Amino acid sequence: MADYEDFDYNKPMSFSIWKKMFPFIMTEKKSLVYCMFLMLSVAVVDVIFPLLLGYAIRNNIQPQSLDGIQPLIAAIAFLVTVQAVNVYGFVSLGIKSETGICRRMRNAVFLNLQKLSLSYYNKTPVGYLMARTNSDTGRIGDLVAWGLIDFTWSAFYCIGAIIAMFLVHWKLALIVCATIPLLALLTWFFQSRILSVNRVMRKLNSKMTGAMNEGITGARTVKVLTAEDISFNEYSGITMEYRKQSTHMARLRSVFIPVSLFIGTLGTAAVLGYGGWEIIFLGADLAVLAVFLQYAGGFFWPIQNIARIFTDFVSTQANVERVADLLEKTPGIIDRKDVIEKYGDTFSPKKENWEPIIGDVQFRDVTFRYPDGHRNVLEHFNLHVPVGTYIAIVGETGAGKSTLVNLVCRFFEPTSGEILIDGKDYRERSQLWLHSAFGYVLQNPHLFSGTIRENIRYGRLDATNEEVEKAAAVVHADKIIEKLEKGFDTEAGEGGDRLSTGEKQLISFARAVLANPRIFILDEATSSIDTEMEMLLQNAIHTLLEGRTSFVIAHRLSTIRGADVILVVDDGKIIERGTHTELMNMRGSYHKLYTQQYETEERIEEALRS
């Protein structure tokens, strides 16, 4: 996670950073403005209450008279009602503003994540993205909505109270105001240190999120490797450090709050001392002293609020930067403006302009280097794949078999040269146009939460139940589905975790069949299916692929003997090509791979028979 927590946590307050959030904040500007007016009203009422107390002491309590008591009670009842309405209003609007800002930020982040290229997800941890999308946006929304509410009340209350005090008794007002710089200085001193600890805790929280995500999503692997203690120790180490920083934070607060209260109490004592002296020796009004005791005791929280909100805005800048970074990420593969204008983009396709795809694929003088690589994987590579050709790609694990497939799918683009689809450079068409023609079955397919029927229907959302079941029957997935408790209506679970890898592959294959693509990509799609089922599936594949261009990354070489062309990959380069018979006769790398695999399978079968 450390590679992704590369933001400067020690920056001062920066307006330019917060400007990046303005498009989301301004969508709730009406609610936020209403909140400010309501908080102004709350502050005015809070300033008036001590004055009413002074009025009651002067006109009713001291003279022990009920004269004017009814208007006083009516005024208090009115103000209490106004305050209740104010509280209801700002709480409702605050929640609306917070959830509205968070929703728009999360939608924008998620939308942009959908646009990013596959290469981004290959190098970015899921925990990092989850923390940024949920935690960071939540903190920003919370601070903008409730921070603005608290700041507005605190600022208006301080201003109103100071004005009221100077109007009532300027000498006592100076005594109360003398505590404000001390409170402000103390708050700044402690808040800056609390902020520093808070930043460390936020980084640790991101690490905890990542570690928790890895521990849960990789639970099976952890158990198989009996690595529970390693996983726990790693997580426990992070939580231990988090506890240490939390304890440090608690110590700072445990000192800050009583010291602040002490300063506030000193101010109250000073008001009480000087006010009492005036009452005793100068015959001053007791009501004035009561008013000032109320104001002096109430200054602690607004001053602390203002300082806390300021430091919160500084500390939340890291969250803003992380969210802004996700929003500003650009895909590694981007369609040209003229292409988007004609064919549309991912979320606004202009399908009426899409030419039908036949499936002729050609590599023309293609040189390719991965964006973060230092050497060419392909150099001046040429290959013509006519419509309906069955291309098999084989090689040792890690040899680079997926490179050609990634280029055909335009997950990456050639460093130089062209890849033509139906005789035209595929960069002159939209990515969505190209991807709509593919049926992609992965070695470790992903199923979505929902029923098996819904997962197959992702291949074509308007498909009928009959078409879904027919697609499953083509790849013999129906034989497995029928054995499940609810058949096609069985829940697949999160990521398909209620099914075996082989079952997920068959359902993924049925999903690709339902899409009726012109080009098939099979990435070792039968590697987790038992031999008997594989024979049935192979017959279905040959029927299905007839007339369609197909690229098959093969694990079991016995399954691709009928391929029109077999490409042998080693160290990311094509070292042999030809049919099964031609390559066996060459007695090169393919012959060696095939022979070794055949002998291994023979030994396994003999062991099983014995």
Side-chain angles (χ1 to χ4, degrees):
M1 185 63 68
D3 292 340
Y4 299 91
E5 296 296 328
D6 54 355
F7 298 93
D8 185 355
Y9 283 83
N10 296 304
K11 288 183 177 179
M13 183 66 180
S14 171
F15 183 73
S16 61
I17 293 175
W18 280 96
K19 279 176 64 178
K20 297 177 181 180
M21 295 296 104
F22 271 25
F24 306 103
I25 296 173
M26 294 307 290
T27 58
E28 296 293 331
K29 63 180 179 181
K30 186 179 292 186
S31 296
L32 292 173
V33 170
Y34 287 157
C35 270
M36 292 177 66
F37 278 113
L38 288 172
M39 295 315 296
L40 171 60
S41 177
V42 170
V44 169
V45 172
D46 286 340
V47 170
I48 291 175
F49 270 127
L51 299 177
L52 290 179
L53 174 63
Y55 176 86
I57 292 172
R58 183 182 302 111
N59 295 283
N60 302 107
I61 297 174
Q62 283 182 319
Q64 297 183 352
S65 170
L66 294 179
D67 292 341
I69 193 70
Q70 291 179 342
L72 177 63
I73 293 174
I76 292 174
F78 173 75
L79 291 177
V80 169
T81 303
V82 169
Q83 203 73 316
V85 173
N86 286 338
V87 171
Y88 171 80
F90 81 70
V91 170
S92 300
L93 291 172
I95 293 173
K96 178 179 179 295
S97 300
E98 179 189 3
T99 55
I101 292 169
C102 288
R103 175 181 175 273
R104 286 176 175 84
M105 277 194 291
R106 287 167 180 162
N107 284 353
V109 169
F110 191 77
L111 178 66
N112 198 52
L113 288 175
Q114 302 301 299
K115 298 177 182 178
L116 297 181
S117 304
L118 189 64
S119 57
Y120 179 76
Y121 294 97
N122 289 339
K123 61 184 180 181
T124 308
V126 175
Y128 171 83
L129 296 176
M130 290 175 63
R132 299 296 76 79
T133 305
N134 294 321
S135 178
D136 284 344
T137 55
R139 179 166 174 77
I140 295 168
D142 175 76
L143 180 62
V144 169
W146 301 107
L148 182 64
I149 287 172
D150 285 346
F151 180 83
T152 303
W153 173 80
S154 300
F156 285 146
Y157 178 81
C158 287
I159 294 170
I162 289 171
I163 292 173
M165 285 190 294
F166 273 100
L167 290 175
V168 174
H169 195 300
W170 69 270
K171 292 181 181 179
L172 288 176
L174 288 176
I175 293 174
V176 175
C177 289
T179 65
I180 294 177
L182 290 174
L183 281 173
L185 184 63
L186 178 74
T187 302
W188 171 82
F189 178 81
F190 276 95
Q191 288 289 352
S192 61
R193 281 150 182 78
I194 290 172
L195 172 60
S196 179
V197 177
N198 200 29
R199 286 166 170 165
V200 176
M201 290 176 64
R202 196 153 300 126
K203 291 179 70 175
L204 290 170
N205 186 61
S206 292
K207 289 185 178 181
M208 276 196 294
T209 302
M212 176 67 76
N213 178 72
E214 288 184 357
I216 294 173
T217 57
R220 290 183 181 178
T221 303
V222 170
K223 290 186 176 298
V224 168
L225 297 175
T226 63
E228 290 91 343
D229 58 335
I230 298 174
S231 180
F232 174 75
N233 288 337
E234 180 183 349
Y235 186 76
S236 179
I238 299 172
T239 56
M240 179 62 74
E241 181 62 25
Y242 190 86
R243 177 181 178 276
K244 177 182 175 182
Q245 296 298 330
S246 297
T247 304
H248 187 196
M249 173 84 77
R251 289 198 191 101
L252 288 171
R253 291 188 182 278
S254 66
V255 175
F256 169 55
I257 293 176
V259 172
S260 299
L261 288 172
F262 177 72
I263 292 176
T265 304
L266 283 180
T268 303
V271 168
L272 186 60
Y274 182 77
W277 179 84
E278 280 201 351
I279 292 172
I280 295 172
F281 295 102
L282 302 179
D285 193 347
L286 176 63
V288 173
L289 180 60
V291 169
F292 271 84
L293 289 176
Q294 290 285 310
Y295 286 133
F299 253 90
F300 167 72
W301 293 112
I303 295 298
Q304 186 193 29
N305 267 344
I306 291 172
R308 175 186 57 80
I309 292 164
F310 178 77
T311 53
D312 279 350
F313 267 97
V314 175
S315 67
T316 307
Q317 287 179 173
N319 304 83
V320 173
E321 284 200 36
R322 290 192 294 249
V323 171
D325 180 67
L326 285 184
L327 290 170
E328 294 168 358
K329 285 288 183 191
T330 55
I333 308 297
I334 302 175
D335 290 329
R336 301 196 310 257
K337 288 184 178 180
D338 60 310
V339 172
I340 294 175
E341 185 176 347
K342 180 177 180 180
Y343 296 99
D345 58 21
T346 302
F347 295 97
S348 302
K350 298 179 180 178
K351 294 186 177 182
E352 65 276 8
N353 295 332
W354 289 7
E355 298 89 347
I357 295 179
I358 300 172
D360 183 272
V361 180
Q362 183 177 359
F363 288 75
R364 182 183 292 173
D365 195 31
V366 170
T367 296
F368 175 70
R369 180 192 305 121
Y370 281 102
D372 54 353
H374 302 288
R375 63 184 182 86
N376 293 334
V377 177
L378 294 177
E379 288 185 350
H380 306 293
F381 176 72
N382 292 280
L383 175 69
H384 183 215
V385 184
V387 176
T389 302
Y390 175 4
I391 297 286
I393 306 170
V394 304
E396 299 281 3
T397 300
K401 298 187 291 294
S402 298
T403 299
L404 283 176
V405 169
N406 287 334
L407 285 169
V408 170
C409 293
R410 204 182 167 193
F411 295 149
F412 296 95
E413 289 182 342
T415 306
S416 64
E418 296 177 316
I419 295 178
L420 311 179
I421 303 294
D422 298 341
K424 193 169 184 179
D425 190 332
Y426 66 2
R427 286 171 288 201
E428 296 181 17
R429 309 267 178 82
S430 72
Q431 295 178 68
L432 190 61
W433 169 87
L434 177 65
H435 295 159
S436 68
F438 282 106
Y440 206 129
V441 182
L442 298 168
Q443 180 180 3
N444 296 305
H446 177 81
L447 298 187
F448 299 94
S449 297
T451 65
I452 290 174
R453 188 187 306 278
E454 290 168 342
N455 270 280
I456 296 176
R457 188 172 277 128
Y458 269 107
R460 182 159 52 85
L461 295 177
D462 60 351
T464 64
N465 288 339
E466 183 181 354
E467 289 173 323
V468 169
E469 293 169 10
K470 184 178 179 181
V474 170
V475 296
H476 305 287
D478 58 329
K479 299 180 184 298
I480 290 177
I481 296 172
E482 288 171 358
K483 297 177 182 178
L484 300 175
E485 182 181 357
K486 295 183 181 179
F488 281 87
D489 295 318
T490 301
E491 290 289 330
E494 185 177 355
D497 59 3
R498 294 187 180 180
L499 305 173
S500 69
T501 303
E503 290 169 339
K504 287 193 288 185
Q505 284 183 333
L506 285 172
I507 292 169
S508 178
F509 213 105
R511 184 165 60 194
V513 168
L514 185 64
N516 193 27
R518 296 305 308 163
I519 301 173
F520 259 109
I521 306 291
L522 308 183
D523 188 350
E524 302 195 13
T526 61
S527 61
S528 297
I529 299 174
D530 59 59
T531 305
E532 181 182 355
M533 182 57 70
E534 185 179 22
M535 291 300 296
L536 294 172
L537 186 56
Q538 286 300 325
N539 292 331
I541 288 175
H542 286 295
T543 302
L544 185 68
L545 298 186
E546 187 175 353
R548 292 183 173 88
T549 306
S550 57
F551 294 82
V552 179
I553 297 176
H555 175 72
R556 297 179 182 175
L557 302 186
S558 59
T559 64
I560 49 92
R561 285 179 295 189
D564 297 315
V565 178
I566 299 173
L567 303 177
V568 184
V569 181
D570 183 42
D571 195 26
K573 301 183 184 300
I574 308 298
I575 59 172
E576 292 178 3
R577 71 172 74 181
T579 63
H580 171 75
T581 303
E582 290 171 347
L583 292 176
M584 290 299 289
N585 290 336
M586 288 171 61
R587 304 186 71 82
S589 296
Y590 179 81
H591 179 274
K592 180 180 178 182
L593 286 171
Y594 188 88
T595 304
Q596 287 177 344
Q597 193 173 102
Y598 179 79
E599 291 174 351
T600 301
E601 290 176 355
E602 282 288 307
R603 286 195 296 270
I604 293 173
E605 289 181 7
E606 287 179 9
L608 291 174
R609 284 196 297 269
S610 62

